[in-house]
Amino acid sequence: MRNEILFDGVRLGDLDLPNRIVMAPLTRNRALADGDVPHELNAEYYAQRASAGLIISEASQISPEGKGYAWTPGIHSDEQIAGWRKVTDAVHEQGGRIFIQLWHVGRVSHTSLQPGGQAPVAPSALAAETQTFDGKSFVPTSTPRALETSEMNRIVNDYRKAAINAKEAGFDGIELHAANGYLLDQFIRDSSNKRTDAYGGSIENRTRIVFEILQALGEVWPAKRIGIRLSPFSHANGISDSDPMATFSHVIEKLNEFGLAYLHLVEGETGGPRELPEGASISILRSLFKGNYMANNGYDQDLAAEAITSGDVDVVAFGRPFIANPDLVERFAENSTLNELDPDTLYGGGAKGYTDYATMKAVLAA
Ligand code: 8OZ
């Protein structure tokens, strides 16, 4: 029996989604190497997945400095805007909806990926204990330099410009990436933020940048077309916090002032176990938010249906299942088996493991 509730239409912000199955943001490193530009192959990939209730694009750097990996797309140049336009047109032609995820990696980068070979920027000059991919191999991330207080306005403006570009590129909305140990998460957490200015110290100070950015984004897009992703209990990219419940309770309560389309949480370790440490609770954090909630991390069809039935979850973002199943929505609807994901083709490369996963229809016709 299929899980009917997944196919109940839902209003997210001011968008009507035909189902509650969202395609999660997924880094695939397949932009054109020259200029980090999205192209036809990416348009084909997203269009294949347009039956999702909503697609969240892969994380896309808001500025050259915001880049942390080879071949990830940007949303800061005219060529990138034109490339993304191909993607949004292709998705819309198939009847879909797509938000772009706005990304600044902060310290999760390498000098070889930075403009002029400079050090990456971060709240504090502390290296992330993680690796990145520089186009040839995995390398330890470079020690960043701490952003000057006087640079914070520029960072906010880079997000603002990216939001304007996203509009020009034809997206239906934007998701602010504040998860997984990247720049905004580095500000939020006390292990990576040792600042003594207005952007460090207290929880209020550490989270200030997030709200300044949301304010700027809200001057470009209606709040109902803006979502935010957080990963309160994740340690992705070497991130940690001494009291994530207190930190993220503050963030989420304050988000209520913005009237956003949704709150999107990575529940547990990013791409890993859903189990939480003692004292941690996703349901408490969720209950603090007075708007729509997008759940993510390790969901299958049944777990998603159960979560939505409970009333706490409005939509569920699926990552890996959407990589291997362009027609995930149809497969869920028919309760059909799913394709296996090929881990060797996740990051980088061409059509193989990207646009060549078979639909159920193609399999039945063969
Ligand atoms: C996998 C590989 C590189 C980046 C994230 C943007 O974790 C990412 C990412 C995932 O949010």
Side-chain angles (χ1 to χ4, degrees), residues 126 185-194 201 206 240-244 247:
L126 297 167
D185 212 12
Q186 291 157 30
F187 270 95
I188 293 171
R189 316 287 195 126
D190 59 8
S191 69
S192 45
N193 184 343
K194 303 292 182 192
R206 298 197 317 265
S240 67
D241 193 85
S242 62
D243 190 354
T247 299

Side-chain angles (χ1 to χ4, degrees), residues 12 14-15 54-57 75 88 92 97-102 162-163 165-167 169-176 217 220-227 261-262:
L12 201 69
D14 64 357
L15 273 185
L54 177 67
I55 295 172
I56 320 286
S57 83
I75 183 68
T88 61
H92 292 148
R97 294 140 300 278
I98 181 166
F99 279 29
I100 185 168
Q101 197 191 45
L102 301 182
N165 293 344
K167 246 188 178 170
F171 284 99
D172 298 296
I174 56 181
E175 179 177 282
L176 182 61
L217 299 181
V220 179
W221 285 87
K224 288 182 167 182
R225 296 295 181 103
I226 304 172
Y262 62 85

Side-chain angles (χ1 to χ4, degrees), residues 67-338:
K67 174 177 173 176
Y69 305 82
W71 316 316
T72 54
I75 183 68
H76 52 81
S77 76
D78 289 344
E79 293 73 23
Q80 292 162 356
I81 295 169
W84 277 120
R85 175 55 85 168
K86 293 178 191 165
V87 172
T88 61
D89 281 349
V91 169
H92 292 148
E93 268 163 37
Q94 294 301 315
R97 294 140 300 278
I98 181 166
F99 279 29
I100 185 168
Q101 197 191 45
L102 301 182
W103 192 30
H104 189 309
V105 297
R107 65 182 185 174
V108 184
S109 186
H110 188 265
T111 52
S112 65
L113 297 162
Q114 288 288 309
Q118 69 190 16
V121 300
S124 301
L126 297 167
E129 282 175 23
T130 190
Q131 293 193 325
T132 184
F133 182 70
D134 68 2
K136 293 188 198 81
S137 62
F138 285 91
V139 290
T141 49
S142 304
T143 301
R145 73 167 176 88
L147 283 160
E148 302 289 340
T149 310
S150 60
E151 285 180 280
M152 298 304 284
N153 275 339
R154 172 183 66 77
I155 297 282
V156 173
N157 263 320
D158 286 345
Y159 276 95
R160 186 197 318 272
K161 279 188 249 161
I164 293 169
N165 293 344
K167 246 188 178 170
E168 209 180 316
F171 284 99
D172 298 296
I174 56 181
E175 179 177 282
L176 182 61
H177 192 347
N180 297 345
Y182 297 109
L183 182 71
L184 302 183
D185 212 12
Q186 291 157 30
F187 270 95
I188 293 171
R189 316 287 195 126
D190 59 8
S191 69
S192 45
N193 184 343
K194 303 292 182 192
R195 300 177 73 89
T196 54
D197 64 1
Y199 296 92
S202 65
I203 293 176
E204 193 186 0
N205 279 359
R206 298 197 317 265
T207 58
R208 182 181 310 280
I209 182 70
V210 174
F211 299 108
E212 289 183 352
I213 291 167
L214 284 175
Q215 177 73 32
L217 299 181
E219 288 160 18
V220 179
W221 285 87
K224 288 182 167 182
R225 296 295 181 103
I226 304 172
I228 185 168
R229 192 180 211 210
L230 304 168
S231 56
F233 307 112
S234 178
H235 295 88
N237 293 306
I239 211 77
S240 67
D241 193 85
S242 62
D243 190 354
M245 279 303 285
T247 299
F248 286 92
S249 293
H250 173 82
V251 175
I252 292 169
E253 277 180 331
K254 200 164 160 68
L255 285 176
N256 289 322
E257 295 169 19
F258 289 82
L260 300 179
Y262 62 85
L263 168 68
H264 182 182
L265 294 186
V266 179
E267 301 174 343
E269 291 292 351
T270 310
R274 294 179 48 77
E275 285 72 35
L276 299 177
E278 200 159 311
S281 166
I282 287 288
S283 63
I284 291 175
L285 292 182
R286 191 277 168 262
S287 70
L288 298 175
F289 187 66
K290 309 290 178 229
N292 287 134
Y293 177 58
M294 183 182 293
N296 168 253
N297 210 29
Y299 278 84
D300 63 14
Q301 189 184 170
D302 291 339
L303 193 59
E306 200 180 298
I308 295 168
T309 305
S310 79
D312 291 340
V313 172
D314 298 292
V315 292
V316 174
F318 294 87
R320 282 166 292 197
F322 253 118
I323 291 178
N325 299 277
D327 57 341
L328 187 67
V329 171
E330 291 75 18
R331 286 177 187 254
F332 280 173
E334 309 248 333
N335 223 4
S336 152
T337 55
L338 301 184

